[in-house]
mmCIF file of all heavy atoms in Angstrom:
data_model
loop_
_atom_site.group_PDB
_atom_site.id
_atom_site.type_symbol
_atom_site.label_atom_id
_atom_site.label_comp_id
_atom_site.label_asym_id
_atom_site.label_seq_id
_atom_site.Cartn_x
_atom_site.Cartn_y
_atom_site.Cartn_z
ATOM 1 N N ARG E 1 3.459 -3.001 -8.368
ATOM 2 C CA ARG E 1 2.047 -3.371 -8.498
ATOM 3 C C ARG E 1 1.847 -4.883 -8.483
ATOM 4 O O ARG E 1 0.912 -5.386 -7.859
ATOM 5 C CB ARG E 1 1.476 -2.750 -9.774
ATOM 6 C CG ARG E 1 1.181 -1.265 -9.610
ATOM 7 C CD ARG E 1 0.822 -0.588 -10.919
ATOM 8 N NE ARG E 1 0.453 0.806 -10.707
ATOM 9 C CZ ARG E 1 0.507 1.734 -11.652
ATOM 10 N NH1 ARG E 1 0.913 1.432 -12.885
ATOM 11 N NH2 ARG E 1 0.155 2.981 -11.378
ATOM 12 N N GLU E 2 2.736 -5.590 -9.180
ATOM 13 C CA GLU E 2 2.591 -7.057 -9.174
ATOM 14 C C GLU E 2 2.861 -7.628 -7.785
ATOM 15 O O GLU E 2 2.131 -8.511 -7.320
ATOM 16 C CB GLU E 2 3.559 -7.694 -10.195
ATOM 17 C CG GLU E 2 3.318 -9.190 -10.354
ATOM 18 C CD GLU E 2 4.053 -9.798 -11.531
ATOM 19 O OE1 GLU E 2 4.544 -9.046 -12.393
ATOM 20 O OE2 GLU E 2 4.143 -11.031 -11.561
ATOM 21 N N ALA E 3 3.891 -7.117 -7.117
ATOM 22 C CA ALA E 3 4.191 -7.580 -5.757
ATOM 23 C C ALA E 3 3.035 -7.237 -4.817
ATOM 24 O O ALA E 3 2.650 -8.051 -3.977
ATOM 25 C CB ALA E 3 5.496 -6.953 -5.262
ATOM 26 N N ALA E 4 2.496 -6.026 -4.970
ATOM 27 C CA ALA E 4 1.391 -5.594 -4.120
ATOM 28 C C ALA E 4 0.159 -6.465 -4.324
ATOM 29 O O ALA E 4 -0.524 -6.828 -3.362
ATOM 30 C CB ALA E 4 1.052 -4.129 -4.418
ATOM 31 N N GLN E 5 -0.115 -6.832 -5.573
ATOM 32 C CA GLN E 5 -1.268 -7.681 -5.866
ATOM 33 C C GLN E 5 -1.156 -9.048 -5.210
ATOM 34 O O GLN E 5 -2.167 -9.672 -4.894
ATOM 35 C CB GLN E 5 -1.419 -7.844 -7.382
ATOM 36 C CG GLN E 5 -1.958 -6.614 -8.085
ATOM 37 C CD GLN E 5 -1.897 -6.709 -9.600
ATOM 38 O OE1 GLN E 5 -1.492 -7.755 -10.147
ATOM 39 N NE2 GLN E 5 -2.277 -5.650 -10.285
ATOM 40 N N HIS E 6 0.073 -9.492 -4.985
ATOM 41 C CA HIS E 6 0.296 -10.790 -4.363
ATOM 42 C C HIS E 6 0.508 -10.680 -2.842
ATOM 43 O O HIS E 6 0.914 -11.645 -2.200
ATOM 44 C CB HIS E 6 1.487 -11.502 -5.010
ATOM 45 C CG HIS E 6 1.187 -12.009 -6.392
ATOM 46 N ND1 HIS E 6 1.389 -11.251 -7.512
ATOM 47 C CD2 HIS E 6 0.667 -13.190 -6.814
ATOM 48 C CE1 HIS E 6 1.033 -11.936 -8.594
ATOM 49 N NE2 HIS E 6 0.588 -13.117 -8.204
ATOM 50 N N GLY E 7 0.257 -9.475 -2.290
ATOM 51 C CA GLY E 7 0.249 -9.322 -0.849
ATOM 52 C C GLY E 7 1.478 -8.724 -0.219
ATOM 53 O O GLY E 7 1.582 -8.673 1.013
ATOM 54 N N ASN E 8 2.442 -8.235 -1.031
ATOM 55 C CA ASN E 8 3.649 -7.629 -0.449
ATOM 56 C C ASN E 8 3.296 -6.258 0.132
ATOM 57 O O ASN E 8 3.055 -5.300 -0.605
ATOM 58 C CB ASN E 8 4.731 -7.501 -1.534
ATOM 59 C CG ASN E 8 6.055 -6.992 -0.988
ATOM 60 O OD1 ASN E 8 6.107 -6.076 -0.169
ATOM 61 N ND2 ASN E 8 7.135 -7.579 -1.455
ATOM 62 N N ILE E 9 3.257 -6.169 1.467
ATOM 63 C CA ILE E 9 2.841 -4.943 2.144
ATOM 64 C C ILE E 9 3.868 -3.821 1.972
ATOM 65 O O ILE E 9 3.514 -2.639 1.890
ATOM 66 C CB ILE E 9 2.594 -5.213 3.651
ATOM 67 C CG1 ILE E 9 1.569 -6.325 3.825
ATOM 68 C CG2 ILE E 9 2.127 -3.935 4.353
ATOM 69 C CD1 ILE E 9 0.195 -6.008 3.294
ATOM 70 N N TYR E 10 5.141 -4.178 1.933
ATOM 71 C CA TYR E 10 6.202 -3.182 1.727
ATOM 72 C C TYR E 10 6.012 -2.494 0.359
ATOM 73 O O TYR E 10 6.118 -1.271 0.252
ATOM 74 C CB TYR E 10 7.563 -3.861 1.795
ATOM 75 C CG TYR E 10 8.760 -2.942 1.718
ATOM 76 C CD1 TYR E 10 8.997 -2.002 2.702
ATOM 77 C CD2 TYR E 10 9.677 -3.066 0.678
ATOM 78 C CE1 TYR E 10 10.110 -1.174 2.651
ATOM 79 C CE2 TYR E 10 10.808 -2.251 0.608
ATOM 80 C CZ TYR E 10 11.008 -1.306 1.591
ATOM 81 O OH TYR E 10 12.117 -0.486 1.542
ATOM 82 N N ALA E 11 5.683 -3.280 -0.658
ATOM 83 C CA ALA E 11 5.414 -2.722 -1.979
ATOM 84 C C ALA E 11 4.172 -1.838 -1.951
ATOM 85 O O ALA E 11 4.142 -0.751 -2.542
ATOM 86 C CB ALA E 11 5.243 -3.841 -3.008
ATOM 87 N N GLN E 12 3.157 -2.274 -1.240
ATOM 88 C CA GLN E 12 1.917 -1.482 -1.122
ATOM 89 C C GLN E 12 2.190 -0.138 -0.461
ATOM 90 O O GLN E 12 1.660 0.891 -0.881
ATOM 91 C CB GLN E 12 0.872 -2.278 -0.340
ATOM 92 C CG GLN E 12 0.369 -3.512 -1.062
ATOM 93 C CD GLN E 12 -0.570 -4.355 -0.213
ATOM 94 O OE1 GLN E 12 -1.114 -3.885 0.783
ATOM 95 N NE2 GLN E 12 -0.759 -5.612 -0.593
ATOM 96 N N GLY E 13 3.027 -0.148 0.591
ATOM 97 C CA GLY E 13 3.379 1.101 1.264
ATOM 98 C C GLY E 13 4.065 2.086 0.339
ATOM 99 O O GLY E 13 3.782 3.289 0.367
ATOM 100 N N HIS E 14 4.964 1.561 -0.503
ATOM 101 C CA HIS E 14 5.666 2.447 -1.436
ATOM 102 C C HIS E 14 4.743 2.940 -2.551
ATOM 103 O O HIS E 14 4.934 4.045 -3.066
ATOM 104 C CB HIS E 14 6.886 1.736 -2.016
ATOM 105 C CG HIS E 14 8.084 1.816 -1.111
ATOM 106 N ND1 HIS E 14 8.898 2.933 -1.060
ATOM 107 C CD2 HIS E 14 8.577 0.949 -0.217
ATOM 108 C CE1 HIS E 14 9.844 2.733 -0.163
ATOM 109 N NE2 HIS E 14 9.674 1.549 0.362
ATOM 110 N N LEU E 15 3.732 2.159 -2.905
ATOM 111 C CA LEU E 15 2.754 2.644 -3.866
ATOM 112 C C LEU E 15 1.944 3.800 -3.270
ATOM 113 O O LEU E 15 1.629 4.760 -3.970
ATOM 114 C CB LEU E 15 1.823 1.507 -4.296
ATOM 115 C CG LEU E 15 2.393 0.535 -5.327
ATOM 116 C CD1 LEU E 15 1.417 -0.617 -5.561
ATOM 117 C CD2 LEU E 15 2.688 1.240 -6.653
ATOM 118 N N VAL E 16 1.614 3.686 -1.985
ATOM 119 C CA VAL E 16 0.931 4.793 -1.304
ATOM 120 C C VAL E 16 1.772 6.058 -1.418
ATOM 121 O O VAL E 16 1.269 7.145 -1.746
ATOM 122 C CB VAL E 16 0.662 4.457 0.179
ATOM 123 C CG1 VAL E 16 0.185 5.709 0.937
ATOM 124 C CG2 VAL E 16 -0.378 3.356 0.296
ATOM 125 N N GLU E 17 3.064 5.946 -1.128
ATOM 126 C CA GLU E 17 3.964 7.088 -1.216
ATOM 127 C C GLU E 17 4.003 7.652 -2.639
ATOM 128 O O GLU E 17 3.966 8.884 -2.837
ATOM 129 C CB GLU E 17 5.371 6.675 -0.775
ATOM 130 C CG GLU E 17 6.369 7.831 -0.782
ATOM 131 C CD GLU E 17 7.675 7.436 -0.142
ATOM 132 O OE1 GLU E 17 8.393 6.569 -0.710
ATOM 133 O OE2 GLU E 17 7.997 7.979 0.934
ATOM 134 N N TYR E 18 4.075 6.773 -3.621
ATOM 135 C CA TYR E 18 4.101 7.203 -5.032
ATOM 136 C C TYR E 18 2.815 7.961 -5.387
ATOM 137 O O TYR E 18 2.875 9.050 -5.974
ATOM 138 C CB TYR E 18 4.271 5.992 -5.942
ATOM 139 C CG TYR E 18 4.184 6.321 -7.416
ATOM 140 C CD1 TYR E 18 5.261 6.886 -8.097
ATOM 141 C CD2 TYR E 18 2.999 6.092 -8.128
ATOM 142 C CE1 TYR E 18 5.174 7.207 -9.449
ATOM 143 C CE2 TYR E 18 2.905 6.409 -9.467
ATOM 144 C CZ TYR E 18 3.997 6.971 -10.132
ATOM 145 O OH TYR E 18 3.901 7.291 -11.469
ATOM 146 N N TYR E 19 1.674 7.401 -5.024
ATOM 147 C CA TYR E 19 0.396 8.057 -5.345
ATOM 148 C C TYR E 19 0.284 9.410 -4.639
ATOM 149 O O TYR E 19 -0.180 10.390 -5.226
ATOM 150 C CB TYR E 19 -0.789 7.171 -4.934
ATOM 151 C CG TYR E 19 -0.893 5.880 -5.718
ATOM 152 C CD1 TYR E 19 -1.234 4.680 -5.097
ATOM 153 C CD2 TYR E 19 -0.668 5.847 -7.095
ATOM 154 C CE1 TYR E 19 -1.334 3.493 -5.804
ATOM 155 C CE2 TYR E 19 -0.764 4.669 -7.815
ATOM 156 C CZ TYR E 19 -1.089 3.489 -7.160
ATOM 157 O OH TYR E 19 -1.189 2.323 -7.872
ATOM 158 N N TYR E 20 0.729 9.473 -3.391
ATOM 159 C CA TYR E 20 0.679 10.735 -2.637
ATOM 160 C C TYR E 20 1.561 11.787 -3.313
ATOM 161 O O TYR E 20 1.131 12.931 -3.519
ATOM 162 C CB TYR E 20 1.129 10.498 -1.195
ATOM 163 C CG TYR E 20 1.035 11.734 -0.328
ATOM 164 C CD1 TYR E 20 -0.088 11.961 0.471
ATOM 165 C CD2 TYR E 20 2.056 12.682 -0.319
ATOM 166 C CE1 TYR E 20 -0.174 13.100 1.255
ATOM 167 C CE2 TYR E 20 1.969 13.820 0.463
ATOM 168 C CZ TYR E 20 0.851 14.032 1.243
ATOM 169 O OH TYR E 20 0.764 15.176 2.017
ATOM 170 N N ASN E 21 2.786 11.401 -3.660
ATOM 171 C CA ASN E 21 3.707 12.356 -4.277
ATOM 172 C C ASN E 21 3.233 12.819 -5.648
ATOM 173 O O ASN E 21 3.563 13.946 -6.069
ATOM 174 C CB ASN E 21 5.113 11.747 -4.379
ATOM 175 C CG ASN E 21 5.778 11.630 -3.030
ATOM 176 O OD1 ASN E 21 5.470 12.378 -2.097
ATOM 177 N ND2 ASN E 21 6.712 10.696 -2.896
ATOM 178 N N ARG E 22 2.463 11.976 -6.326
ATOM 179 C CA ARG E 22 1.897 12.366 -7.631
ATOM 180 C C ARG E 22 0.580 13.114 -7.472
ATOM 181 O O ARG E 22 -0.062 13.444 -8.466
ATOM 182 C CB ARG E 22 1.680 11.111 -8.491
ATOM 183 C CG ARG E 22 2.970 10.427 -8.966
ATOM 184 C CD ARG E 22 3.754 11.273 -9.927
ATOM 185 N NE ARG E 22 2.995 11.618 -11.121
ATOM 186 C CZ ARG E 22 2.947 10.870 -12.214
ATOM 187 N NH1 ARG E 22 3.638 9.738 -12.271
ATOM 188 N NH2 ARG E 22 2.239 11.244 -13.268
ATOM 189 N N LYS E 23 0.180 13.367 -6.210
ATOM 190 C CA LYS E 23 -1.040 14.088 -5.869
ATOM 191 C C LYS E 23 -2.320 13.321 -6.198
ATOM 192 O O LYS E 23 -3.392 13.908 -6.370
ATOM 193 C CB LYS E 23 -1.075 15.491 -6.524
ATOM 194 C CG LYS E 23 0.119 16.357 -6.158
ATOM 195 C CD LYS E 23 -0.051 17.776 -6.665
ATOM 196 C CE LYS E 23 1.186 18.650 -6.495
ATOM 197 N NZ LYS E 23 1.896 18.506 -5.241
ATOM 198 N N PHE E 24 -2.205 11.985 -6.264
ATOM 199 C CA PHE E 24 -3.393 11.139 -6.399
ATOM 200 C C PHE E 24 -3.868 10.814 -4.977
ATOM 201 O O PHE E 24 -3.805 9.666 -4.513
ATOM 202 C CB PHE E 24 -3.052 9.853 -7.161
ATOM 203 C CG PHE E 24 -2.497 10.074 -8.546
ATOM 204 C CD1 PHE E 24 -1.579 9.192 -9.092
ATOM 205 C CD2 PHE E 24 -2.895 11.162 -9.310
ATOM 206 C CE1 PHE E 24 -1.070 9.372 -10.366
ATOM 207 C CE2 PHE E 24 -2.397 11.362 -10.600
ATOM 208 C CZ PHE E 24 -1.477 10.474 -11.120
ATOM 209 N N TYR E 25 -4.329 11.838 -4.284
ATOM 210 C CA TYR E 25 -4.588 11.708 -2.854
ATOM 211 C C TYR E 25 -5.692 10.732 -2.514
ATOM 212 O O TYR E 25 -5.592 9.981 -1.533
ATOM 213 C CB TYR E 25 -4.895 13.084 -2.263
ATOM 214 C CG TYR E 25 -3.768 14.076 -2.419
ATOM 215 C CD1 TYR E 25 -3.973 15.290 -3.081
ATOM 216 C CD2 TYR E 25 -2.508 13.806 -1.897
ATOM 217 C CE1 TYR E 25 -2.937 16.215 -3.227
ATOM 218 C CE2 TYR E 25 -1.470 14.711 -2.042
ATOM 219 C CZ TYR E 25 -1.690 15.917 -2.702
ATOM 220 O OH TYR E 25 -0.662 16.807 -2.854
ATOM 221 N N SER E 26 -6.759 10.712 -3.292
ATOM 222 C CA SER E 26 -7.857 9.783 -3.007
ATOM 223 C C SER E 26 -7.394 8.336 -3.127
ATOM 224 O O SER E 26 -7.749 7.490 -2.294
ATOM 225 C CB SER E 26 -9.030 10.028 -3.966
ATOM 226 O OG SER E 26 -9.586 11.319 -3.762
ATOM 227 N N THR E 27 -6.605 8.065 -4.162
ATOM 228 C CA THR E 27 -6.080 6.702 -4.343
ATOM 229 C C THR E 27 -5.108 6.353 -3.227
ATOM 230 O O THR E 27 -5.168 5.260 -2.668
ATOM 231 C CB THR E 27 -5.353 6.598 -5.707
ATOM 232 O OG1 THR E 27 -6.265 6.924 -6.747
ATOM 233 C CG2 THR E 27 -4.823 5.182 -5.924
ATOM 234 N N ALA E 28 -4.232 7.304 -2.894
ATOM 235 C CA ALA E 28 -3.256 7.065 -1.807
ATOM 236 C C ALA E 28 -3.976 6.741 -0.505
ATOM 237 O O ALA E 28 -3.612 5.789 0.205
ATOM 238 C CB ALA E 28 -2.359 8.285 -1.631
ATOM 239 N N ALA E 29 -5.009 7.527 -0.186
ATOM 240 C CA ALA E 29 -5.735 7.321 1.064
ATOM 241 C C ALA E 29 -6.486 6.000 1.075
ATOM 242 O O ALA E 29 -6.508 5.281 2.083
ATOM 243 C CB ALA E 29 -6.702 8.475 1.293
ATOM 244 N N ALA E 30 -7.087 5.641 -0.069
ATOM 245 C CA ALA E 30 -7.854 4.392 -0.150
ATOM 246 C C ALA E 30 -6.944 3.175 0.021
ATOM 247 O O ALA E 30 -7.272 2.236 0.747
ATOM 248 C CB ALA E 30 -8.604 4.324 -1.478
ATOM 249 N N VAL E 31 -5.804 3.191 -0.662
ATOM 250 C CA VAL E 31 -4.859 2.074 -0.560
ATOM 251 C C VAL E 31 -4.285 2.009 0.860
ATOM 252 O O VAL E 31 -4.175 0.918 1.450
ATOM 253 C CB VAL E 31 -3.730 2.213 -1.594
ATOM 254 C CG1 VAL E 31 -2.683 1.122 -1.393
ATOM 255 C CG2 VAL E 31 -4.287 2.145 -3.007
ATOM 256 N N ALA E 32 -3.946 3.171 1.410
ATOM 257 C CA ALA E 32 -3.393 3.220 2.770
ATOM 258 C C ALA E 32 -4.375 2.679 3.794
ATOM 259 O O ALA E 32 -3.995 1.976 4.732
ATOM 260 C CB ALA E 32 -2.998 4.645 3.118
ATOM 261 N N LYS E 33 -5.652 2.995 3.615
ATOM 262 C CA LYS E 33 -6.682 2.518 4.556
ATOM 263 C C LYS E 33 -6.760 0.995 4.538
ATOM 264 O O LYS E 33 -6.875 0.362 5.603
ATOM 265 C CB LYS E 33 -8.043 3.118 4.193
ATOM 266 C CG LYS E 33 -9.163 2.741 5.148
ATOM 267 C CD LYS E 33 -8.945 3.315 6.538
ATOM 268 C CE LYS E 33 -10.099 3.108 7.461
ATOM 269 N NZ LYS E 33 -10.374 1.693 7.769
ATOM 270 N N ARG E 34 -6.678 0.388 3.358
ATOM 271 C CA ARG E 34 -6.732 -1.075 3.262
ATOM 272 C C ARG E 34 -5.525 -1.698 3.966
ATOM 273 O O ARG E 34 -5.648 -2.704 4.657
ATOM 274 C CB ARG E 34 -6.756 -1.516 1.792
ATOM 275 C CG ARG E 34 -8.086 -1.273 1.104
ATOM 276 C CD ARG E 34 -8.224 -2.104 -0.149
ATOM 277 N NE ARG E 34 -7.209 -1.789 -1.138
ATOM 278 C CZ ARG E 34 -7.327 -0.872 -2.080
ATOM 279 N NH1 ARG E 34 -8.431 -0.131 -2.142
ATOM 280 N NH2 ARG E 34 -6.376 -0.663 -2.958
ATOM 281 N N ILE E 35 -4.365 -1.066 3.798
ATOM 282 C CA ILE E 35 -3.149 -1.594 4.409
ATOM 283 C C ILE E 35 -3.221 -1.488 5.926
ATOM 284 O O ILE E 35 -2.888 -2.435 6.646
ATOM 285 C CB ILE E 35 -1.897 -0.837 3.902
ATOM 286 C CG1 ILE E 35 -1.728 -1.025 2.387
ATOM 287 C CG2 ILE E 35 -0.646 -1.313 4.632
ATOM 288 C CD1 ILE E 35 -0.681 -0.122 1.778
ATOM 289 N N THR E 36 -3.652 -0.349 6.421
ATOM 290 C CA THR E 36 -3.662 -0.112 7.868
ATOM 291 C C THR E 36 -4.763 -0.886 8.578
ATOM 292 O O THR E 36 -4.788 -0.921 9.810
ATOM 293 C CB THR E 36 -3.778 1.388 8.192
ATOM 294 O OG1 THR E 36 -4.931 1.925 7.527
ATOM 295 C CG2 THR E 36 -2.536 2.141 7.731
ATOM 296 N N ASP E 37 -5.675 -1.501 7.839
ATOM 297 C CA ASP E 37 -6.686 -2.359 8.459
ATOM 298 C C ASP E 37 -6.051 -3.643 9.002
ATOM 299 O O ASP E 37 -6.633 -4.311 9.850
ATOM 300 C CB ASP E 37 -7.784 -2.719 7.452
ATOM 301 C CG ASP E 37 -8.779 -1.580 7.254
ATOM 302 O OD1 ASP E 37 -8.808 -0.666 8.110
ATOM 303 O OD2 ASP E 37 -9.496 -1.592 6.245
ATOM 304 N N HIS E 38 -4.854 -3.990 8.487
ATOM 305 C CA HIS E 38 -4.146 -5.178 8.970
ATOM 306 C C HIS E 38 -3.561 -4.889 10.350
ATOM 307 O O HIS E 38 -2.902 -3.862 10.545
ATOM 308 C CB HIS E 38 -3.020 -5.563 8.013
ATOM 309 C CG HIS E 38 -3.478 -5.941 6.636
ATOM 310 N ND1 HIS E 38 -4.321 -7.005 6.397
ATOM 311 C CD2 HIS E 38 -3.218 -5.389 5.423
ATOM 312 C CE1 HIS E 38 -4.553 -7.096 5.105
ATOM 313 N NE2 HIS E 38 -3.920 -6.140 4.487
ATOM 314 N N ASP E 39 -3.754 -5.790 11.280
ATOM 315 C CA ASP E 39 -3.222 -5.552 12.627
ATOM 316 C C ASP E 39 -2.318 -6.678 13.147
ATOM 317 O O ASP E 39 -1.818 -6.600 14.260
ATOM 318 C CB ASP E 39 -4.362 -5.304 13.621
ATOM 319 C CG ASP E 39 -5.365 -6.457 13.663
ATOM 320 O OD1 ASP E 39 -5.112 -7.482 13.012
ATOM 321 O OD2 ASP E 39 -6.387 -6.321 14.338
ATOM 322 N N ASP E 40 -2.111 -7.713 12.338
ATOM 323 C CA ASP E 40 -1.258 -8.832 12.758
ATOM 324 C C ASP E 40 -0.064 -8.933 11.806
ATOM 325 O O ASP E 40 -0.139 -9.614 10.775
ATOM 326 C CB ASP E 40 -2.052 -10.133 12.794
ATOM 327 C CG ASP E 40 -1.301 -11.252 13.506
ATOM 328 O OD1 ASP E 40 -0.050 -11.228 13.496
ATOM 329 O OD2 ASP E 40 -1.957 -12.159 14.051
ATOM 330 N N ILE E 41 1.023 -8.250 12.146
ATOM 331 C CA ILE E 41 2.207 -8.196 11.298
ATOM 332 C C ILE E 41 2.813 -9.584 11.074
ATOM 333 O O ILE E 41 3.154 -9.948 9.939
ATOM 334 C CB ILE E 41 3.271 -7.258 11.900
ATOM 335 C CG1 ILE E 41 2.740 -5.828 12.038
ATOM 336 C CG2 ILE E 41 4.556 -7.268 11.073
ATOM 337 C CD1 ILE E 41 2.350 -5.164 10.745
ATOM 338 N N ASN E 42 2.921 -10.359 12.133
ATOM 339 C CA ASN E 42 3.542 -11.687 12.019
ATOM 340 C C ASN E 42 2.723 -12.630 11.148
ATOM 341 O O ASN E 42 3.282 -13.433 10.399
ATOM 342 C CB ASN E 42 3.761 -12.290 13.411
ATOM 343 C CG ASN E 42 4.863 -11.592 14.171
ATOM 344 O OD1 ASN E 42 5.864 -11.176 13.581
ATOM 345 N ND2 ASN E 42 4.705 -11.441 15.464
ATOM 346 N N LYS E 43 1.414 -12.527 11.250
ATOM 347 C CA LYS E 43 0.546 -13.358 10.403
ATOM 348 C C LYS E 43 0.723 -12.988 8.944
ATOM 349 O O LYS E 43 0.822 -13.875 8.066
ATOM 350 C CB LYS E 43 -0.918 -13.172 10.836
ATOM 351 C CG LYS E 43 -1.886 -14.059 10.049
ATOM 352 C CD LYS E 43 -3.317 -13.852 10.529
ATOM 353 C CE LYS E 43 -4.299 -14.705 9.719
ATOM 354 N NZ LYS E 43 -5.708 -14.490 10.173
ATOM 355 N N LEU E 44 0.765 -11.692 8.655
ATOM 356 C CA LEU E 44 0.976 -11.237 7.274
ATOM 357 C C LEU E 44 2.318 -11.719 6.745
ATOM 358 O O LEU E 44 2.440 -12.135 5.588
ATOM 359 C CB LEU E 44 0.915 -9.705 7.207
ATOM 360 C CG LEU E 44 -0.459 -9.057 7.171
ATOM 361 C CD1 LEU E 44 -0.313 -7.556 7.298
ATOM 362 C CD2 LEU E 44 -1.182 -9.415 5.887
ATOM 363 N N ALA E 45 3.343 -11.629 7.589
ATOM 364 C CA ALA E 45 4.685 -12.062 7.181
ATOM 365 C C ALA E 45 4.696 -13.543 6.839
ATOM 366 O O ALA E 45 5.315 -13.964 5.857
ATOM 367 C CB ALA E 45 5.683 -11.764 8.298
ATOM 368 N N LYS E 46 3.983 -14.331 7.630
ATOM 369 C CA LYS E 46 3.937 -15.775 7.401
ATOM 370 C C LYS E 46 3.188 -16.100 6.119
ATOM 371 O O LYS E 46 3.622 -16.944 5.321
ATOM 372 C CB LYS E 46 3.265 -16.460 8.597
ATOM 373 C CG LYS E 46 3.339 -17.979 8.555
ATOM 374 C CD LYS E 46 2.799 -18.584 9.847
ATOM 375 C CE LYS E 46 2.942 -20.108 9.819
ATOM 376 N NZ LYS E 46 2.447 -20.734 11.078
#
């Protein structure tokens, strides 16, 4: 969560997986939607 708050996309992806597996589907979908709105991988990495 701390890494995700600071923009770590890999951490955010694993939080989506955690929420999905815990059946928090609305939260998983909402977080996933925010992540997938990003379309410039290299810019995010920088």
